[in-house]
Amino acid sequence: MRTRPLKVALLGCGVVGSEVARIMTTHADDLAARIGAPVELAGVAVRRPAKVREGIDPALVTTDATALVKRGDIDVVVEVIGGIEPARTLITTAFEHGASVVSANKALLAQDGAALHAAAENHGRDLYYEAAVAGAIPLIRPLRESLAGDKVNRVLGIVNGTTNFILDKMDSTGAGYQEALDEATALGYAEADPTADVEGFDAAAKAAILAGIAFHTRVRLDDVYREGMTEVTAADFASAKEMGCTIKLLAICERAADGGSVTARVHPAMIPLTHPLASVRGAYNAVFVESDASGQLMFYGPGAGGSPTASAVLGDLVAVCRNRLNGATGPGESAYAALPVSGMGEVVTRYHISLDVADKPGVLAQVATVFAEHGVSIDTVRQQGKDGEASLVVVTHRASDAALVGTVEALRKLDTVRGVASIMRVEGE
C-alpha cells in the first residue's frame, strides 16, 4: 500500500458534507485498504466558518473555496454545495489544477453536464456523480458500466422521496394534498419551500441525467417535460383505486418504438397496483429499468438524506482514488448515439380523463364522437349522474399526447361538457 495519502478537498459541510467527513474519519482504515492508499481530508470550504463542526479540525476550514481547489496538491474535490454557481466555476477550476471531481449536484449536471465532462476529459480527470440521482441507490454506475453492453429502452422511476411520501399519505390515509404536505414538512421530508420537489424540478434534473446515460445522448434539463403534483386530489386517488391503481410522481425516459428518438418527462401518473413501483412507500425511491438483454431490473432504497447520499459520494471517491493511483480515468460522457429528443406531443400512453357533463341523453355519444374524430380509442367509460349533472370518466387506449390535447380542446367546446375535472396518464402497463 502506498503510504503517501491522497488529498481530498470538501466543498460544503452541510447535512451531506458533514457525513462525508465523518465517514472518511471513522472508516479511514477500511477506505485505505480498499483504495490502496490512505485518504486525507485536506480542506473544507464553508460559508460560516464559526459554526462548530464535530470531528473536523477547525484548521481545515476555510471560506475561500477557490484557493482550496487551486492548491495543486489536491487529488479529489468533493462538491456538495449544490446550485449552478459557484459550483460550476469551482469544478472547472479543480480540473484545471489537476484534481478529479465527485459531485452530488443534479441541477448543474442536468444543465451543463456536457461542458463539465468535456472539461474533465481535456484535463485527463474524472467526473463522478452517483449521488446526484437517487441517493444511496447504485444507479448511474450500473447504467454506464454494468449495462454498457445492453440496449436500455426505458427508465421509469420514483426519484424524489418528498413527493412519494406525500402521495403515499394521500393514498393510504385519504388525506388531501396540503394535509400530507404539512406532515412531510413537520417530519423534515419537505423543505420550507417545497417547490423544487412538488413541482417536479428536482425529478426533472434527475431524469435528464438518467436519459443521457441510458440512451448515450445529450439530454438537458430544458428537454424534459415537467408537470408537478400539486393538483392531485383525493378524488384522483379514488378513481385510481377503482382502476386497481395508485398515483406516483414518475420520471420516465423512453426510447421511441422505432429507436430513432428519445423522450424524458416527469409527471403524476396512475400505475397498476401489480407494478413493482406501486409498492414503494414513504420517502423511498425506486427505478425500474427495461433493456433488451437484461429484461426488467429494479433498483430500490433511500433516495435522500445525509448518510445515504454520503454513501454514494464515498463510493465515487473510492473509485476515483483508485483511478488516480493507477494513472487512469473511468468512463466519461457517452453521447455517441446523439438521438433527437422529442417533445411531449410525441409521447404515446394511456389516459384517464374525468369530465363534468350534463346528465341527459346523448352526452356519451357526443363525447365518444370527439374521441373518434381525433383518433383516440376509448377503453372504458364510467358515468354517474344526479340532479342534472354527471361525471364521466374515460380511460383511453394508448394515444399520443398531441392527439389527447386536441381531443380535450374539442371536448371543452361541447355545450354538454361543463368542465374537465382531471387528466392523468396511466403508465406501467
Side-chain angles (χ1 to χ4, degrees):
M1 177 185 293
R2 194 180 86 165
T3 57
R4 183 171 67 82
L6 293 161
K7 294 188 176 183
V8 178
L10 178 61
L11 307 182
C13 198
V15 174
V16 176
S18 59
E19 276 296 292
V20 170
R22 183 190 68 79
I23 295 171
M24 285 184 64
T25 301
T26 57
H27 295 180
D29 291 343
D30 286 338
L31 290 173
R34 294 165 190 170
I35 292 169
V39 288
E40 172 189 315
L41 188 59
V44 182
V46 299
R47 287 184 298 174
R48 295 182 292 274
K51 180 180 178 181
V52 176
R53 294 173 172 83
E54 186 177 348
I56 296 178
D57 183 352
L60 298 177
V61 176
T62 179
T63 58
D64 194 342
T66 301
L68 179 59
V69 300
K70 283 184 174 181
R71 275 177 37 174
D73 64 335
I74 299 297
D75 295 290
V76 185
V77 169
V78 174
E79 182 272 309
V80 288
I81 57 177
I84 305 302
E85 288 292 355
R88 173 170 49 198
T89 299
L90 291 170
I91 288 174
T92 55
T93 302
F95 292 142
E96 291 166 1
H97 288 78
S100 290
V101 173
V102 173
S103 176
N105 196 331
K106 53 187 171 287
L108 177 58
L109 289 158
Q111 178 174 305
D112 289 321
L116 294 177
H117 274 293
E121 184 177 358
N122 288 341
H123 295 283
R125 294 294 176 253
D126 277 322
L127 173 63
Y128 276 49
Y129 43 90
E130 185 69 66
V133 172
I137 305 172
L139 187 58
I140 290 178
R141 193 171 288 116
L143 280 174
R144 71 177 185 179
E145 296 181 30
S146 303
L147 296 176
D150 206 343
K151 178 184 177 185
V152 176
N153 296 309
R154 196 176 197 222
V155 180
L156 173 78
I158 299 164
V159 294
N160 184 278
T162 299
T163 55
N164 199 59
F165 178 89
I166 292 170
L167 292 172
D168 184 36
K169 279 296 175 182
M170 293 176 70
D171 185 27
S172 60
T173 69
Y177 166 76
Q178 189 60 50
E179 183 183 351
L181 172 60
D182 290 344
E183 182 174 352
T185 303
L187 292 173
Y189 291 125
E191 301 287 346
D193 180 1
T195 302
D197 295 322
V198 300
E199 293 295 351
F201 290 101
D202 175 86
K206 295 171 179 178
I209 296 169
L210 289 173
I213 296 170
F215 306 132
H216 305 279
T217 293
R218 287 179 178 169
V219 179
R220 289 171 50 87
L221 181 58
D222 292 345
D223 295 322
V224 181
Y225 172 84
R226 177 194 56 79
E227 183 181 319
M229 48 157 281
T230 57
E231 300 301 317
V232 176
T233 66
D236 292 326
F237 274 101
S239 293
K241 287 181 179 180
E242 290 179 358
M243 292 179 58
C245 293
T246 188
I247 299 171
K248 299 291 186 182
L249 184 75
L250 298 178
I252 305 171
C253 311
E254 292 181 304
R255 190 188 300 268
D258 63 4
S261 64
V262 299
T263 58
R265 51 195 165 105
V266 169
H267 54 72
M270 295 181 179
I271 57 171
L273 294 174
T274 53
H275 193 282
L277 290 178
S279 62
V280 178
R281 312 301 298 269
Y284 274 70
N285 285 190
V287 177
F288 204 71
V289 177
E290 300 175 6
S291 66
D292 276 0
S294 300
Q296 297 178 331
L297 306 170
M298 182 164 160
F299 301 83
Y300 169 85
S307 293
T309 305
S311 170
V313 169
L314 267 294
D316 279 349
L317 179 64
V318 168
V320 169
C321 286
R322 285 173 176 168
N323 292 342
R324 189 84 170 186
L325 287 179
N326 294 326
T329 56
E333 183 189 33
S334 176
Y336 73 89
L339 296 171
V341 182
S342 298
M344 190 64 189
E346 303 301 313
V347 169
V348 177
T349 189
R350 298 178 66 206
Y351 292 87
H352 176 283
I353 304 104
S354 179
L355 304 172
D356 295 325
V357 299
D359 186 17
K360 62 182 184 180
V363 173
L364 180 57
Q366 286 183 327
V367 169
T369 298
V370 169
F371 276 88
E373 289 174 347
H374 288 81
V376 179
S377 176
I378 294 175
D379 182 18
T380 62
V381 177
R382 186 174 71 254
Q383 183 173 4
Q384 294 178 323
K386 184 179 181 181
D387 299 329
E389 297 295 330
S391 63
L392 188 66
V393 175
V394 178
V395 180
T396 74
H397 288 291
R398 290 173 63 83
S400 72
D401 191 80
L404 196 282
V405 169
T407 302
V408 172
E409 288 177 352
L411 288 171
R412 294 183 192 277
K413 296 177 181 178
L414 293 177
D415 292 339
T416 52
V417 174
R418 309 294 194 224
V420 180
S422 69
I423 303 172
M424 192 164 294
R425 298 165 184 88
V426 183
E427 303 285 349
E429 296 185 317

